Amino acid sequence: MQWTSNKIRKAFLDFFNGQNHKIVPSAPLVVKDDPTLMFTNAGMNQFKEFFLGNEKPESTRVTDSQKCLRVSGKHNDLEEVGVDTYHHTMFEMLGNWSFNDYFKEETIDWAWKLLTEVFGIDKDRLYITIFEGDKEDGLPRDTEAFELWNKHVPADRILDYDKADNFWEMGDTGPCGPSSEIHVDIRSDEERKKVDAKKLVNQDHPQVIEIWNLVFIQYNRQASGELKPLPAKHIDTGMGLERLAMVLQEKQSNYDTDLFQNLIQATEKVTGVSYSGSDQKKDIAFRVIVDHIRAISFSIADGQLPSNTGAGYVIRRILRRAVRYGYSFLDQKEAFLYKLLPALIKEMGEAFPELKKQSTLIEKVMKEEEEAFLRTLEKGIQKFSEYRKKHDKVEGEFAFELYDTYGFPIDLTDLLAREEGMKLDLEGFQKALEDQKNRSRKATSMEAGDWVEVNSAESTNFVGYDQTQAEVSIARYREVKQKDKKHYQLVLDQTPFYPEGGGQVGDKGVLKNDSSQISIFDTKKENNLIVHFTKELPKDLNGKFKAEVDVAKRENAARNHTATHLLHHALREILGEHVEQKGSLVRPDYLRFDFSHFQKVTDEELQQIEKRVNELVLENTPLVEKRNIPMDEAMQMGALALFGEKYGDAVRVIKFGDSVELCGGTHVPATGALGLFKLTNETSVAAGIRRVEAITGAEAYRYISERIQQLDIIAEEVKNKKDPVKGVQQVIGQNRELSKQIDSLKQKEEVAERNALLSELKELNGIQFLAKTVDLDAGSIKNLAFKLRKELKNAVILLGSKGKKVTLSLIVTDDVTQSKGIKAGEEIRDLAQHIKGGGGGQPFFATAGGKDANGLDEAYKQIEEKVKSL
Ligand code: ATP
Ligand code: MG
């Protein structure tokens, strides 16, 4: 039987389904509502709350295939990817879970059975590791796991390892526990005879690798570093699909499995280079590219676009790494990654329909990012060659500038340096890098203390859909320091405060009782806890409090949230079904809505959209809200679901007429409450993504009445109440007419002045000479000078003017310059001194500006003397 990756995935899920596990979908790659994590880095992330006891699962046995991304935080494999053959940025993790159900015995027995009986892996090639215990954490050796394994595996192939290898933790804090890993030896029989695999386990050997990790979750790591036992014991396992495919397909590299073959072939075609196995650098570039294209495409499909900060920046860095490998080692000087997308879709589009559905967007975004980065690279390379001219060594500081500003990883700079025979100061670079890291760590560091329990409550009961006030008690609190500023976070047993989510900002308000009142300045969700932010704690934390939401702000936010739904609906109606929400911000004062659309929205379209939304407002359609209904039912209602959103089994549906969306936000009871809807702006956010901004209610009224007032003032000014536009057009028309008249008058004046001047020319030393003050502006004098120069021969003319500014203009015809060697540009500098100014110009015409009109006569005298003396 040929184990294709699709068959492997299915066999895994079927096996656990056979042991009463519920098959659930993968959570999105991009994590929301968790300040400790940007991307899903393990199958267990989405179940964290079950482990912590903050939430109860519907089913105590679950299995799935989870998309994971390990490029930041505690689990970061980025630098390995491509260099080795078995670490990816994005990979699929097959897993089975027990939430306070079965524990070690079943986990171990099933894992063994699946690998050896279903998948038929040779028992002699499997090695087991277990946790040896840890003094610092006060933990004993996991002897229980040893005994259970020993039923299947001889003792000498069960190896003890310390906590670095066999104690699994998701991040710096959170659920954790001892683990037991299964390693496979895929070397040839010959190789196996030479070196015992036991010596190669956990040694980064590419053919003796870990495939499955079984984690026995029993503790919660506190911020203080302490381990706190969890209320119940759980199982969390993870097996990389790509590595399992390599084993079952009898390959030596993940990249030789069916999962990557299409992509490798496509890359060969696009680049014209072959993945040979003989040229190390080129092969690494291939692996980097076919790996990264997956991570980039899946993230964009999940709604995470490349950007300058946070998760978006991580995606940008992955993309740049791929481009740079292509650039340096496969000679790709133009955008090429985006051309590989069809191959990826062919491979994975079946299992992940979001890829297919969003292919146009992914392609556009990727192409634009690639092109932008290539331009930056070119600039950096130019910068490098300029630097080369002046230096013969690459200083650390400069290498860092290339890295920081132009996205040059150090090995690219090293390559350039070596090509030029220059030395690179690697230490200096590392130091500059370290300094920067320290700076940014200081700038963003957030220290959250451990939660202090006041009253026990498992999670927060949110009552804010039905009420804006509630009687509450404090369940727990903690102190948080950020950039030297301190605030507190409170969790309540129940709360009317809406936590930031679905684009809508968190509620503000107060928490009060007889003895104190504190204000809540923000509310956020952390996993499934609702956290209230406050600058001060109440005097006494015990007892009952009244929680009151700032109702005016909440109602305005609700208007804007309903408006985003109507807007989304209208956009799809008017622009087409390709429009998909790509982000939104719902605040009390305005809303912002990002969506996929591939050209600018025209003014007419904007008008139509605005009109359509206002029609929906006037219809005053009532809200139909369905809480806690199964996903299937929501889909039957026609709900628009977004890719990249994590929805539990039960969802909330918000329906206004034909607009039906899955949504957790707050809304108005009927669309009429919006009062008025006004679009205020339309821009582009990224390739293929447009953004509109809008306002509703009182804000929209204020905006419009302000505009009308301005219009009234204009109507008044142009004396046309009925039709101010016509009035303004008339004024503009008159203005144009008057300008024309002025121009023609000026011309006449110039002619008259010219004639007058010509009649005043007198002969001096054989030269036609004149020096006097005229009543013309600088522009006219210049025009005149150009004309006279063409018309006259053998002339020197100095014209002064004393308007706002005192000026001198000197004309020396070419023949005088040639025969007498006098140049206007030089003369004027001397003359300018008389009017206390400066000037310059060409040999035939020069001007000077100054302050002192009294000096004009002196200037005339001087030029006259000069002409006489020639
Ligand atoms: P390794 O030591 O090989 O990096 P790990 O200890 O980081 O592995 P776990 O965190 O235990 O791995 O993850 C569970 C399983 O997921 C691993 O046994 C492996 O099959 C797979 N896996 C982990 N990291 C990657 C990766 N970067 N790419 C592909 N598969 C991975
Ligand atoms: Mg690892």
Side-chain angles (χ1 to χ4, degrees), residues 376-389:
T376 315
L377 268 183
E378 285 299 336
K379 269 192 223 142
I381 285 169
Q382 251 173 23
K383 186 107 192 164
F384 187 91
S385 31
E386 276 158 34
Y387 183 87
R388 172 74 191 111
K389 285 180 202 149

Side-chain angles (χ1 to χ4, degrees), residues 41-42 68-70 75-78 80-81 84 86-94 164-165 168-169 179 181-183 202 204 209-215 237-244 254 291 294:
N41 65 13
C68 296
L69 191 61
R70 292 197 168 177
H75 295 276
N76 186 346
D77 293 335
L78 187 59
E80 263 75 60
V81 175
D84 74 18
Y86 58 103
H87 279 97
H88 300 294
T89 52
M90 195 204 86
F91 62 99
E92 274 183 73
M93 198 188 279
L94 302 165
D165 281 305
W168 202 88
E169 309 200 37
S179 71
E181 296 172 343
I182 303 168
H183 296 248
N202 275 339
D204 296 331
I209 56 157
E210 175 197 330
I211 54 164
W212 201 349
N213 195 357
L214 315 178
V215 186
T237 86
M239 172 153 61
L241 172 69
E242 296 77 5
R243 290 190 193 175
L244 182 59
N254 286 5
D291 173 276
R294 301 184 349 147

Side-chain angles (χ1 to χ4, degrees), residues 387-404:
Y387 183 87
R388 172 74 191 111
K389 285 180 202 149
K390 290 183 212 129
H391 303 79
D392 33 47
K393 179 182 167 202
V394 179
E395 301 292 344
E397 284 291 316
F398 180 64
F400 180 74
E401 184 190 340
L402 287 177
Y403 165 85
D404 197 39

Side-chain angles (χ1 to χ4, degrees), residues 559-578:
R559 281 191 185 89
N560 285 336
H561 206 148
T562 300
T564 61
H565 287 206
L566 303 185
L567 175 62
H568 193 189
H569 187 69
L571 284 167
R572 289 172 69 93
E573 233 176 59
I574 288 154
L575 301 180
E577 296 277 301
H578 63 280

Side-chain angles (χ1 to χ4, degrees), residues 404-655:
D404 197 39
T405 317
Y406 300 95
F408 279 44
I410 192 64
D411 50 351
L412 179 60
T413 307
D414 188 38
L415 197 83
L416 290 172
R418 256 182 288 160
E419 277 171 11
E420 292 287 336
M422 297 165 84
K423 259 214 161 109
L424 167 70
D425 175 12
L426 196 61
E427 255 172 53
F429 169 77
Q430 300 292 10
K431 190 180 167 310
L433 191 65
E434 207 43 50
D435 287 351
Q436 189 210 36
K437 274 192 189 150
N438 287 335
R439 277 196 304 276
S440 69
R441 208 172 292 141
K442 260 195 202 137
T444 57
S445 80
M446 185 187 96
E447 282 173 53
D450 283 322
W451 288 109
V452 181
E453 193 155 306
V454 183
N455 295 294
S456 68
E458 278 191 351
S459 63
T460 323
N461 180 25
F462 178 64
V463 297
Y465 291 139
D466 304 308
Q467 54 201 85
T468 51
Q469 297 193 351
E471 183 162 289
V472 304
S473 55
I474 297 174
R476 47 170 112 165
Y477 75 94
R478 70 177 174 192
E479 190 180 302
V480 177
K481 263 200 218 117
Q482 198 165 19
K483 287 191 212 169
D484 298 331
K485 279 206 185 123
K486 191 166 80 174
H487 73 263
Y488 297 94
Q489 301 186 345
L490 301 176
V491 175
L492 309 174
D493 60 339
Q494 61 163 355
T495 184
F497 283 76
Y498 177 78
E500 180 182 304
Q504 184 176 336
V505 297
D507 277 340
K508 295 180 199 292
V510 296
L511 193 65
K512 63 184 184 189
N513 63 10
D514 292 341
S515 63
S516 62
Q517 165 162 341
I518 59 167
S519 69
I520 303 296
F521 67 87
D522 202 357
T523 313
K524 287 189 181 173
K525 224 195 286 182
E526 186 168 322
N527 303 304
N528 293 302
L529 292 176
I530 297 178
V531 180
H532 305 75
F533 291 60
T534 174
K535 294 251 150 62
E536 51 179 341
L537 287 177
K539 279 185 213 113
D540 182 2
L541 294 158
N542 292 293
K544 291 284 177 193
F545 289 84
K546 199 162 172 202
E548 288 181 13
V549 172
D550 181 331
V551 175
K553 287 208 170 73
R554 156 74 83 83
E555 282 178 350
N556 283 331
R559 281 191 185 89
N560 285 336
H561 206 148
T562 300
T564 61
H565 287 206
L566 303 185
L567 175 62
H568 193 189
H569 187 69
L571 284 167
R572 289 172 69 93
E573 233 176 59
I574 288 154
L575 301 180
E577 296 277 301
H578 63 280
V579 166
E580 266 187 34
Q581 178 169 354
K582 285 292 162 205
S584 69
L585 175 67
V586 177
R587 293 169 43 105
D589 49 348
Y590 78 102
L591 69 95
R592 195 171 78 196
F593 191 81
D594 297 347
F595 57 97
S596 46
H597 183 58
F598 304 114
Q599 63 256 1
K600 192 173 166 41
V601 188
T602 64
D603 286 346
E604 286 99 87
E605 284 166 339
L606 286 172
Q607 272 169 24
Q608 274 178 299
I609 292 158
E610 187 178 283
K611 180 162 169 266
R612 183 69 189 121
V613 174
N614 279 301
E615 280 167 12
L616 296 171
V617 170
L618 284 178
E619 283 169 16
N620 198 23
T621 312
L623 160 69
V624 178
E625 182 204 6
K626 299 262 181 201
R627 266 181 234 168
N628 280 320
I629 63 167
M631 188 67 148
D632 302 347
E633 200 181 320
M635 291 298 139
Q636 272 161 25
M637 287 175 72
L640 278 180
L642 301 174
F643 286 118
E645 285 296 330
K646 174 184 159 189
Y647 296 107
D649 290 329
V651 295
R652 177 166 177 260
V653 172
I654 293 295
K655 177 172 165 20

Side-chain angles (χ1 to χ4, degrees), residues 73-205:
K74 188 170 178 76
H75 295 276
N76 186 346
D77 293 335
L78 187 59
E79 291 312 315
E80 263 75 60
V81 175
V83 179
D84 74 18
T85 50
Y86 58 103
H87 279 97
H88 300 294
T89 52
M90 195 204 86
F91 62 99
E92 274 183 73
M93 198 188 279
L94 302 165
N96 59 291
W97 283 270
S98 151
F99 307 119
N100 194 16
D101 188 328
Y102 62 86
F103 204 47
K104 293 184 190 174
E105 182 167 11
E106 292 87 335
T107 310
I108 289 172
D109 288 349
W110 286 334
W112 187 255
K113 189 168 175 201
L114 177 62
L115 290 183
T116 59
E117 289 175 23
V118 178
F119 290 135
I121 300 178
D122 180 358
K123 291 175 187 171
D124 293 339
R125 286 177 178 267
L126 294 172
Y127 292 79
I128 307 300
T129 64
I130 62 158
F131 180 50
E132 68 179 16
D134 187 76
K135 274 209 188 101
E136 191 192 350
D137 281 331
L139 297 174
R141 174 176 186 255
D142 193 352
T143 310
E144 188 188 356
F146 175 84
E147 308 271 313
L148 290 167
W149 275 119
N150 200 211
K151 288 194 292 178
H152 309 290
V153 185
D156 70 326
R157 282 200 277 123
I158 306 173
L159 314 166
D160 283 18
Y161 277 93
D162 68 2
K163 80 170 166 187
D165 281 305
N166 279 64
F167 193 86
W168 202 88
E169 309 200 37
M170 183 187 88
D172 292 336
T173 59
C176 53
S179 71
S180 181
E181 296 172 343
I182 303 168
H183 296 248
V184 191
D185 180 5
I186 54 169
R187 292 174 303 159
S188 65
D189 290 335
E190 229 179 27
E191 289 295 318
R192 293 180 68 207
K193 271 183 212 133
K194 283 189 212 152
V195 186
D196 190 342
K198 270 182 286 201
K199 296 207 181 90
L200 302 175
V201 167
N202 275 339
Q203 297 303 315
D204 296 331
H205 190 288

